[in-house]
Amino acid sequence: MNEREILTRYVYQVVASLVQNGVEDIVISPGSRSTPLAYAFASTKNLNVYRQVDERSAAFFALGIAKAKAKPVVLLCTSGTAAANYFPAIVEAKYARVPLVVITADRPHELREVGAPQAINQIRLYGEQVKWTAEFPIPDGAKQTLPYIERHIARGVNIATTPPFGPVHFNVPFREPLLIDFQEELPAQTFHSSFVGKIAPSEQAKDVLATAINQTKRGFIIVGELALGSDLKQIWSFIRKLKWPVLVESLSNLRANVPEDCTPYIISTYDALLKNSNFKEKVVADTVIRFGAQPVSKFLTIFLTESLPSNYIVIDEDPMFRDSSAVSTHFIHANVGNWLNELNIDSSNFDKDYLNKWRNSEEVAVKHIKEYAEIESDEGAVVRYLLENLPNESDLFVSSSMPIRDIDTFLLPTSKDIQIFANRGANGIDGVMSTAIGFSQGRKERELFLLIGDLAFLHDVNALITTRYQPCKITVIVLNNDGGGIFSYLSQSTVKEYYEDLFGTPTSLQFEAVANMYNMEYVRIQEFNELNQLFNKENENPLRLIEIFTDRQKNVIAHRNLWQRIHTELE
């Protein structure tokens, strides 16, 4: 067997093993050293192949597909700094618990650390930011090589998709020549399948949880962003059974499609309510049960830290459970599942007046939030208008910083099918555009809107390159307040010296030229009364860029006025 035949068998074995283990999507950043694998992926009918020449954007693009499908997505790049540019998205994938299979092509061993071009040390390049890493052998004719590949890929995909989901890394060295013979059929596998188990709690854990619930007079549930693929029906059944107040973050997606019989328990305005000291005193809880990540709300975290519930029970699929405020008293290692509704629960001990305190205050806050767009015309009013008018069966991807906080404030429970997504693993504003465009590829049956600030848009404007390589459909809504709006709410804003230079960071940029560059429909909105243009399409262009101009200082004043109106009525 000659070198070309050996290389061909090797790369098609990689592809076949990935397909065998459930991979459907591959994102390629073209380059020379990855040529053999790129050819093999591109010539395989079993895969959806996407292209993005900017590796940093490509990695977030793959992250978006994986978030949308809750399935592993493969990333492929050449050697050198191309691999380093994957790093930000890999960090996000680790902390957001998203399954990525990262494949970096590499120089052969004899070209490492000797001054060869485009050769860096790629062994364990991503350190502890990946769940597992493996160095593949050079393609050769050895009997053990292909079985090694089969089983290592099975291990890698299993690790990426075992809770908590996360990224894994394969480093694959190639010698020249890099050409292969194209094959129509994938090689047969000697390793046929692997089965990953579900994580369920022990009987002892279930007894502890049931006992805590049955003894509780005053308690509430927190639902943050849940693990990919979580069954929301199980959460709704648990809520019906407990009949406790449920503080639902927007990213939990429990504020939409709300069953009518669960509506009395849903508390969406907790961030505004917990700014009020008297209200906090009235709703101190004996027991708190949390599913998913810690919510965005700073005031909820402060409340839990100050009140220290006797039982703070965290239910998480990772033994490294999330508890940044260090107030948890119990941890249960489990996925959301039917076990929740098999608990032996008796809620007769629960204080119904406690639920009413939350319910009545929620109604006060909801009233003021519904009136907000009639009183104000700032970014919050824009967000409220957007949420009220989003089409049914649509998704909203949201940038970190102010947009996600405004969504959390202004998204009220609704019977509409609207789902909210964001990159909240590392909470960065980089890669948001790329992730959203990738997300749109994974849920083509739904309409996708992206809400993003001007600085986050600038961070990732290269994301739009991918729209030149594959069909994309997305409406990008840029809130342009000329700088970093969130800092206006923080202590830095009280120090006027250097504020604009270091934190406001205005650029005076507008984005019509960007829209023209990528053949996007462009809509410019200067005044609140022009917002009807958000949903009035002039043509069938699948790419829309809507730029809404706002004022940072006006935003702060309007938000604080809302909180004051709620505070006054609560008092």
Side-chain angles (χ1 to χ4, degrees), residues 142-167:
K143 180 181 178 181
Q144 302 90 340
T145 298
L146 298 186
Y148 174 97
I149 288 172
E150 276 192 82
R151 285 150 185 81
H152 265 54
I153 286 177
R155 291 182 181 106
V157 175
N158 283 349
I159 290 169
T161 54
T162 299
F165 292 177

Side-chain angles (χ1 to χ4, degrees), residues 257-529:
N257 280 324
V258 179
E260 189 175 348
D261 60 340
C262 291
T263 301
Y265 314 113
I266 300 303
I267 308 297
S268 63
T269 63
Y270 54 88
D271 182 76
L273 298 177
L274 292 173
K275 291 179 171 70
N276 183 279
S277 298
N278 287 340
F279 176 76
K280 287 197 293 184
E281 291 176 6
K282 294 175 183 176
V283 294
V284 170
D286 309 325
T287 299
V288 175
I289 302 170
R290 196 192 82 213
F291 298 94
Q294 181 71 27
V296 172
S297 171
K298 175 182 178 181
F299 288 90
L300 174 57
T301 300
I302 292 171
F303 173 59
L304 293 169
T305 305
E306 292 174 345
S307 60
L308 292 176
S310 301
N311 298 305
Y312 187 106
I313 303 168
V314 177
I315 299 170
D316 199 305
E317 71 276 10
D318 186 0
M320 281 292 293
F321 59 94
R322 293 162 288 195
D323 178 21
S324 60
S325 54
V327 295
S328 59
T329 60
H330 301 76
F331 163 67
I332 296 177
H333 187 206
N335 292 117
V336 170
N338 192 52
W339 65 270
L340 283 166
N341 299 295
E342 296 172 348
L343 296 172
N344 185 18
I345 291 174
D346 177 8
S347 296
S348 59
N349 197 39
F350 194 76
D351 181 359
K352 293 182 174 56
D353 286 340
Y354 180 78
L355 171 62
N356 290 335
K357 287 184 175 69
W358 279 103
R359 184 75 253 149
N360 295 338
S361 299
E362 165 88 349
E363 290 173 2
V364 168
V366 164
K367 179 188 72 172
H368 288 287
I369 289 171
K370 284 183 174 179
E371 295 172 349
Y372 189 84
E374 300 171 9
I375 300 170
E376 308 289 358
S377 58
D378 71 319
E379 283 181 12
V382 171
V383 170
R384 179 67 195 141
Y385 180 92
L386 171 66
L387 292 169
E388 275 287 285
N389 292 279
L390 276 175
N392 194 40
E393 297 184 347
S394 61
D395 295 331
L396 179 63
F397 207 94
V398 187
S399 179
S400 290
S401 203
M402 274 310 296
I404 186 61
R405 286 168 172 79
D406 273 342
I407 292 296
D408 212 43
T409 297
F410 294 103
L411 177 62
L412 299 176
T414 176
S415 59
K416 282 202 300 187
D417 180 6
I418 298 169
Q419 297 195 33
I420 312 295
F421 300 90
N423 283 348
R424 294 298 294 175
N427 298 345
I429 64 168
D430 52 342
V432 175
M433 282 274 297
S434 299
T435 311
I437 295 173
F439 191 90
S440 73
Q441 299 293 313
R443 287 164 68 101
K444 292 181 179 179
E445 73 281 5
R446 295 171 68 91
E447 190 168 0
L448 180 68
F449 296 81
L450 167 63
L451 183 68
I452 191 168
D454 53 301
L455 288 185
F457 181 79
L458 283 168
H459 261 272
D460 198 30
V461 75
N462 269 9
L464 292 169
I465 296 171
T466 196
T467 67
R468 313 308 294 167
Y469 300 130
Q470 48 263 319
C472 299
K473 183 178 181 181
I474 186 171
T475 297
V476 181
I477 303 169
V478 180
L479 299 175
N480 191 341
N481 57 33
D482 196 20
I486 194 169
F487 292 105
S488 300
Y489 296 83
L490 304 179
S491 58
Q492 290 92 327
S493 64
T494 63
V495 181
K496 301 305 178 185
E497 292 83 2
Y498 308 112
Y499 176 75
E500 282 296 292
D501 287 344
L502 296 178
F503 303 103
T505 56
T507 63
S508 301
L509 290 173
Q510 300 179 14
F511 304 124
E512 184 172 6
V514 173
N516 292 336
M517 181 187 298
Y518 291 102
N519 298 327
M520 303 177 76
E521 178 188 339
Y522 177 79
V523 178
R524 178 188 182 93
I525 296 177
Q526 291 278 168
E527 303 294 338
F528 185 81
N529 59 13

